[in-house]
Amino acid sequence: MACRGVLFSIDKETVDRLRALEGDAARVEYIQEVIEVDYFDRHREWLAETDKAWDCMHRALTDGRLEWDNGSYPLNHLILGGELLYSGDDYIISLKIPQQVSDVAAQLPSITKETFTECFRRVPVSELNGTFEEDRDYTWGWFTEVRDFWLRAAAEGRFVIFTVDQ
């Protein structure tokens, strides 16, 4: 599997549909066949790709670990955190409600490349694919797009889901 994460900014109607679906397979199918198709084709402004940087992004902005509830709110909701909509270990779907989206977005403008570099030191060396600088720059590049996405989602009072296949 690719392990490439995507954030989607969705409306309440879409959240209600996701929550109403019975079973993990139905939710993944809905995301892959409805949300991904629609957003990648017609609503790119409401998505943010993270490639594989989501892992280090979460680690850097929490406590260095890759867990559901580690770190401090609200930054621990940037990627993981929130309501889990999938219970298996081969896919992740985590939902953030508009208040959480607003709380996350409020923290993001203060994160500069310098502060991100300090946070990135939390990522265990064993989790890096290249040098510290290479992985930090790679993750920072994706983070800047994610930051802009969160600010747009918060301004519109939308929900956010993070999805990734494992």
Side-chain angles (χ1 to χ4, degrees):
M1 301 216 173
C3 291
R4 290 186 165 96
V6 182
L7 291 153
F8 296 95
S9 174
I10 60 177
D11 58 24
K12 175 120 175 57
E13 182 179 320
T14 304
V15 170
D16 291 344
R17 280 191 204 128
L18 273 171
R19 285 178 172 155
L21 292 169
E22 294 205 23
D24 290 343
R27 285 190 194 94
V28 170
E29 181 179 340
Y30 184 78
I31 286 170
Q32 292 176 338
E33 295 182 12
V34 178
I35 294 175
E36 286 181 4
V37 170
D38 186 37
Y39 281 55
F40 277 98
D41 287 349
R42 299 187 334 211
H43 300 292
R44 291 193 68 84
E45 73 277 11
W46 294 120
L47 70 86
E49 296 178 80
T50 67
D51 198 51
K52 296 181 180 184
W54 65 270
D55 182 306
C56 282
M57 223 179 282
H58 178 78
R59 291 173 186 274
L61 296 175
T62 60
D63 60 7
R65 295 177 293 136
L66 188 63
E67 297 180 6
W68 296 109
D69 58 355
N70 62 315
S72 299
Y73 182 82
L75 290 179
N76 65 352
H77 280 53
L78 181 81
I79 300 296
L80 301 178
E83 178 184 347
L84 296 176
L85 297 179
Y86 188 84
S87 62
D89 60 3
D90 60 334
Y91 205 87
I92 296 171
I93 306 170
S94 62
L95 171 70
K96 292 80 161 124
I97 63 173
Q99 182 61 57
Q100 293 166 329
V101 174
S102 178
D103 292 347
V104 169
Q107 297 296 308
L108 298 179
S110 66
I111 301 176
T112 63
K113 188 167 185 181
E114 292 73 29
T115 57
F116 189 81
T117 297
E118 289 307 309
C119 292
F120 203 79
R121 295 189 192 292
R122 297 178 186 142
V123 180
V125 172
S126 61
E127 298 299 326
L128 300 178
N129 292 313
T131 67
F132 175 87
E133 291 78 14
E134 289 169 337
D135 281 15
R136 185 235 15 236
D137 290 348
Y138 165 79
T139 306
W140 172 253
W142 288 102
F143 173 77
T144 60
E145 294 180 26
V146 166
R147 179 182 55 202
D148 295 344
F149 161 86
W150 277 93
L151 295 173
R152 285 190 307 274
E156 296 293 326
R158 293 172 67 92
F159 293 77
V160 167
I161 56 170
F162 171 72
T163 67
V164 66
D165 63 344
Q166 297 274 76

